[in-house]
């Protein structure tokens, strides 16, 4: 029992640190986006930095392991669906909304991951059992929370009087603000759906190629190439590649080294140890960390719709995880009973 707790403690601590680091990445990127930095160049630079940083580590630790063609294809697909497109959509949604609100959408990732895991046989749902009903109920509650996030903004909860003053000063009409908010919500939802697919693909990769450092390095290389091509197609503007000021340079370096390098290695390791749904379950921590830091650093408002929607999403996610825990408990009991029967024979 003590050994099991120790084994569980390591991935839990790892994911708490990962989500704290990712929260800092989101705050820094929101800051540089507000100052006019191009979101696609951010994706390209951070993946290129991640590749440069991870390659020596991969060469040292994973030099004995050989790469097969099917693993390279899976890594290319993982880079496209799990890094390039989600980060592009997330940064675009971040530009349309706020750091706290965009992180609220990350709470849907565990449930989207669970929904995708069912057809692949990674997760099973038995509607006759308590665990199966809890999983389905949790999924429905979480989706309801996500819809509330998209469709209802509500009033600001922190210093609402300053919000009314700001509305009088600004020239942007309320309808344009709402339209921008809805577009951002749709972009963030699409990004979360794609990021959920990364956990499923990574589960397949970790079984066939259990080398987190080299897989992250190759993933970063593919993502850097993909995002560079996407930037050239969309922007066709050389000025967008120029980094202005220390904040932009430091933000991109930190996002590359930590956000796209070390964090992806840690998440890949956790997927291998505990599975995709467990790893994705810690994403609500990003919103909590951002909410604690975002108001003091970026002076962002927290809206009623964001709080209500986030509460529903988190409640739904933990109902799902409760159902999963019941299911795992049954498997442990069955395994223990089987071992006892074998010993008696």
């Amino acid at each position: 029992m003590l050994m099991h707790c120790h084994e569980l403690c390591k991935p839990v601590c790892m994911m708490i640190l990962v989500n704290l680091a990712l929260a800092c990445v989101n705050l820094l990127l929101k800051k540089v986006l507000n100052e006019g930095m191009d979101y696609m160049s951010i994706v390209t630079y951070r993946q290129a930095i991640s590749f440069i940083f991870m390659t020596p580590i991969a060469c040292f630790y994973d030099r004995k392991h050989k790469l097969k063609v099917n693993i390279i294809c899976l890594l290319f697909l993982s880079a496209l669906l799990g890094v390039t497109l989600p980060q592009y959509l997330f940064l675009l949604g971040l530009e349309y909304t706020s750091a706290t609100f965009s992180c609220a959408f990350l709470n849907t990732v565990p449930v989207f991951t669970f929904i995708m895991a069912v057809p692949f046989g990674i997760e099973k749902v038995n509607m006759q059992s308590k665990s199966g009903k809890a999983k389905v109920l949790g999924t429905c509650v979480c989706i309801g929370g996500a819809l509330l996030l998209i469709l209802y903004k509500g009033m600001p909860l922190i210093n609402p009087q300053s919000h009314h003053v700001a509305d009088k000063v600004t020239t942007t009409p309320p309808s344009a603000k709402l339209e921008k908010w809805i577009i951002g919500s749709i972009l963030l939802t699409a990004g979360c759906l794609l990021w959920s697919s990364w956990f499923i693909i990574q589960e397949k990769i970790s079984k066939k190629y259990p080398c987190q450092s080299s897989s992250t390095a190759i993933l970063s290389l593919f993502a850097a190439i993909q995002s560079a091509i996407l930037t050239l197609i969309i922007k066709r503007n050389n000025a967008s590649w120029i980094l202005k000021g220390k904040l932009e340079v430091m933000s991109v370096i930190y996002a590359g080294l930590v956000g796209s390098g070390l964090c992806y290695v840690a998440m890949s390791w956790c997927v291998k140890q505990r599975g995709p749904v467990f790893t994705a379950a810690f994403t609500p921590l990003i919103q909590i960390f951002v909410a604690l830091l975002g108001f003091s650093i970026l002076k962002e408002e927290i809206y009623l719709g964001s709080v209500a929607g986030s509460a529903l999403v988190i409640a739904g996610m933990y109902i799902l995880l409760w159902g999963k825990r019941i299911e795992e408990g049954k498997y442990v009991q069955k395994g223990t009973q089987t071992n006892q029967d074998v010993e008696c024979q």
Side-chain angles (χ1 to χ4, degrees):
M1 185 69 180
L2 189 64
M3 184 66 72
H4 177 71
C5 290
H6 179 68
E7 287 177 2
L8 183 63
C9 187
K10 284 194 287 185
V12 167
C13 293
M14 184 77 75
M15 287 310 301
I16 290 170
L17 290 172
V18 163
N19 286 285
L20 176 59
L22 289 174
C24 294
V25 169
N26 289 337
L27 286 169
L28 285 170
L29 294 184
K30 178 60 180 176
K31 185 75 175 173
V32 295
L33 282 169
N34 288 345
E35 293 180 6
M37 187 175 179
D38 181 65
Y39 42 85
M40 277 312 298
S41 60
I42 292 174
V43 178
T44 307
Y45 279 131
R46 71 182 284 184
Q47 296 308 323
I49 290 166
S50 173
F51 169 69
I52 294 165
F53 173 67
M54 291 305 304
T55 299
I57 299 170
C59 291
F60 181 77
Y61 284 105
D62 303 331
R63 60 185 180 275
K64 293 180 181 179
H65 295 270
K66 291 182 180 179
L67 270 172
K68 294 180 181 178
V69 177
N70 64 329
I71 298 297
I72 294 171
C73 292
L74 277 173
L75 285 168
F76 182 86
L77 184 67
S78 179
L80 183 65
L81 298 180
V83 181
T84 306
L85 293 177
Q87 285 187 9
Y88 169 68
L89 292 168
F90 184 81
L91 287 172
L92 196 57
L94 185 64
E95 193 176 32
Y96 275 89
T97 57
S98 69
T100 307
F101 181 80
S102 58
C103 287
F105 273 87
L106 295 177
N107 299 333
T108 61
V109 170
V111 174
F112 287 152
T113 304
F114 168 73
I115 292 167
M116 290 180 185
V118 172
F120 288 98
I122 299 169
E123 292 287 336
K124 293 179 181 178
V125 179
N126 180 10
M127 286 304 295
Q128 302 301 318
S129 65
K130 188 189 287 186
S131 61
K133 288 174 183 176
K135 285 180 177 182
V136 173
L137 176 62
T139 303
C140 293
V141 171
C142 190
I143 291 169
L147 288 171
L148 185 63
L149 279 168
I150 295 170
L151 300 173
Y152 178 65
K153 184 178 179 181
M155 62 178 286
L157 297 178
I158 299 173
N159 201 10
Q161 290 182 349
S162 65
H163 176 76
H164 292 308
V165 171
D167 280 347
K168 289 177 183 178
V169 173
T170 185
T171 55
T172 309
S175 58
K177 279 187 177 181
L178 184 61
E179 185 182 343
K180 197 176 178 183
W181 200 264
I182 291 169
I183 291 168
S185 301
I186 294 166
L187 291 167
L188 290 167
T189 305
C192 289
L193 277 165
L194 287 171
W195 195 26
S196 298
S197 69
W198 180 85
F199 290 97
I200 304 300
I201 298 167
Q202 194 59 41
E203 203 268 344
K204 300 287 183 185
I205 293 170
S206 63
K207 286 182 177 177
K208 297 179 181 179
Y209 187 69
C211 304
Q212 285 82 37
S213 299
S214 55
S215 63
T216 303
I218 296 163
L219 187 83
S220 299
L221 175 62
F222 283 143
I225 295 166
Q226 290 164 358
S227 55
I229 293 167
L230 194 61
T231 306
L232 292 170
I233 292 168
I234 295 169
K235 293 290 179 181
R236 296 182 182 180
N237 182 12
N238 293 330
S240 64
W241 294 100
I242 301 168
L243 296 177
K244 302 166 188 174
K246 291 181 181 178
L247 182 63
E248 289 191 2
V249 174
M250 293 303 295
S251 297
V252 166
I253 291 171
Y254 179 78
L257 292 180
V258 180
S260 296
L262 296 175
C263 285
Y264 271 79
V265 171
M267 286 190 292
S268 299
W269 179 81
C270 286
V271 168
K272 181 186 173 185
Q273 296 295 318
R274 301 291 300 173
V277 176
F278 174 89
T279 308
F282 286 85
T283 47
L285 289 176
I286 298 177
Q287 187 194 2
I288 294 167
F289 290 137
V290 168
L292 291 172
L293 299 171
F295 179 73
S296 57
I297 296 171
L298 299 178
K299 308 298 181 186
E300 290 184 343
E301 294 286 358
I302 298 174
Y303 292 92
L304 178 62
S306 299
V307 173
S310 300
L312 274 176
V313 168
I314 293 169
M317 188 198 68
Y318 283 108
I319 292 169
L320 187 153
L321 289 175
W322 176 67
K324 216 175 138 43
R325 187 179 176 184
I326 294 170
E327 190 177 67
E328 286 176 356
K330 286 180 181 177
Y331 287 141
V332 170
Q333 284 179 358
K334 282 182 182 178
T336 307
Q337 179 120 27
T338 305
N339 290 336
Q340 286 175 351
D341 290 344
V342 170
E343 286 173 5
C344 288
Q345 289 174 1

